[in-house]
Amino acid sequence: MHTAHLTIDPAFRVAPVRRRTFGTFVEHLGRCVYTGIYEPGHPKADEDGFRRDVLDLTRELGVSTVRYPGGNFVSGYRWEDGVGPRERRPRRLDLAWHSTETNEVGIDEFVRWCAKAGVEPMMAVNLGTRGIEAALDLLEYCNHPSGTALSDLRAANGAKEPHGIKMWCLGNEMDAPWQTGHKTPREYGRLAAETARAMRMVDPGLELVACGSSSSSMPAFGTWEAEVLEETYDVVDYISCHAYYEEKDGDLGSFLACATDMEYFISSVVATADHVGARLKSRKKINISFDEWNIWYLSRFQNAAPPVDWPIAPPLLEDHYHLADAVAFGGLLITLLRNSDRVTAASLAQLVNVIAPIMTEPGRRAWRQTTFHPFAQASSLAAGDVLRVEQVSPMYETAEYGEVPLLHAVATHDGEATTLFAINRSTDQPLSLRIDARALGGARIVEATTLTDSDVYARNTADDPDRIAPRPNPGIQHDTMTVVLPPVSWNVIRLA
Ligand code: AHR
């Protein structure tokens, strides 16, 4: 058994817990929208055709914001196709996913779904095939109260009240060669800046996100952020980060340490943004919207043939997550929380069926994937301030990241309750963790749960939906403030 200890002290404050850390993403991709959130013929569909079982699970997941409608999809999207009477909505080719888009769901339905789910919508505009005018039209349609062509059209379409969308992404992954209409950083930076300026003429209070690199491994990573921010610094609030991880070549040790790359990614983008700010002699800080993050077996997708015959809502990117995925995922969530001073919004990509914590069968059941649980626990229990923890942990060698601590942890503290989120990355040994909570005035452990299994590749399925779920941790020693974390585990320890 390994041993580690850590100190929790309210003085080690990083930033407030940001509710927007617990955002997700709904894209017109595969079965995320159709047979995901929307399936009119389903036995649990409500009067709008939304699946009640998915709405319930979304609320249980504790989602704050939902980014929409893409992703790669948005770079060819004409938002007007998705409003007005359904029978008049056109079908279009979706070049991003080689599918047919029926437009049965559009912006009005999505905002309606958000209200039912109790989440904040976050919108992306198309800067791939379109530009300033379409973005302004969409903004007027969504947010202007009434008395103009587009706001009155919204009312005529059944949404009298404005949608009031605050947060807007200026395109998606515009650096990426797979993006329809992708651009050089100067081309994109100019277009994003002019779009942002025009949108702010409508509403100066919008929160705008400029596209960062599609991943930290893109050839122009760093240069892209610097050049885009040189153009947009004064008119945007965020730069985006996107990162996906998967276990490669059976190297579980490296995979469990993937948050190391995310830490590097965040610190590099923060340094780049601050460097641009310094050169511009600006006091303003650009924060990060980590608006796509997850475990994604991207190599499987890249090796598969694209759909033929332009199907409607084909099953795409339907990864079935196992325990080790959930633990690596928990590590990423811990990293997002640890960086809450600069990562002030994030979106788990995505919500349903497409690399998602919620899975559905058309016409039948819905269930929680393994990754559902770290997200739901962190969203419901993280409160007050994020605290850095001072830890002493054994290290282990990884092929991808060198020496990495076995323990990866963060705490939150709201004056009364303190919660520690921790993963044990050891693939074969429990980790006995002693918690020094003297600065919390005699706080005791009140509960500890763990997400673990004897088989690190065990999954939840429709037939066995709760195989992997948080269970009480039997390894608590109250007198020594010690908890034993099983190998390959996600853990939540509550003190009061
Ligand atoms: O989330 C899946 C896809 O990953 C998104 O559409 C795109 O933005 C990214 O490349």
Side-chain angles (χ1 to χ4, degrees), residues 39-177:
E39 191 178 348
H42 191 277
K44 293 194 176 150
D46 69 8
E47 64 289 357
D48 292 314
F50 298 131
R51 283 185 65 151
R52 283 198 184 88
D53 51 354
V54 173
L55 276 168
D56 288 344
L57 286 171
T58 302
R59 285 186 282 260
E60 183 185 322
L61 188 61
V63 175
S64 56
T65 52
V66 179
R67 182 169 174 250
Y68 177 84
N72 297 342
F73 172 80
V74 77
S75 297
Y77 185 49
R78 304 177 215 199
W79 66 267
E80 303 88 335
D81 290 348
V83 301
R86 277 214 174 90
E87 61 283 6
R88 284 200 230 137
R89 297 188 191 176
R91 292 184 168 206
R92 301 266 188 206
L93 295 184
D94 164 18
L95 305 187
W97 304 106
H98 238 255
S99 309
T100 295
E101 173 54 49
T102 64
N103 285 303
E104 282 167 81
V105 170
I107 179 68
D108 294 326
E109 289 81 20
F110 175 67
V111 169
R112 215 173 158 81
W113 179 86
C114 286
K116 291 184 179 194
V119 304
E120 176 193 354
M122 171 180 169
M123 198 67 194
V125 300
N126 175 357
L127 294 188
T129 59
R130 305 187 85 182
I132 304 174
E133 187 174 76
L136 285 176
D137 284 353
L138 178 59
L139 177 60
E140 181 184 323
Y141 182 89
C142 288
N143 283 7
H144 194 69
S146 65
T148 64
L150 292 170
S151 55
D152 289 348
L153 178 64
R154 183 197 65 239
N157 288 338
K160 192 164 177 302
E161 294 305 318
H163 296 328
I165 300 171
K166 290 283 288 180
M167 203 166 164
W168 295 77
C169 302
L170 302 165
N172 176 69
E173 294 190 349
M174 297 308 301
D175 63 322

Side-chain angles (χ1 to χ4, degrees), residues 259-274:
T260 314
D261 178 74
M262 191 188 238
E263 292 273 359
Y264 153 81
F265 194 166
I266 293 168
S267 60
S268 307
V269 174
V270 165
T272 305
D274 289 353

Side-chain angles (χ1 to χ4, degrees), residues 3 5 40 48 63 106 114 122 202 284 330 334 337 349 372 451 479:
T3 58
H5 71 261
D48 292 314
V63 175
C114 286
M122 171 180 169
V202 178
K284 177 179 172 181
I334 287 169
L337 283 165
F372 185 99
L451 192 77
D479 51 342

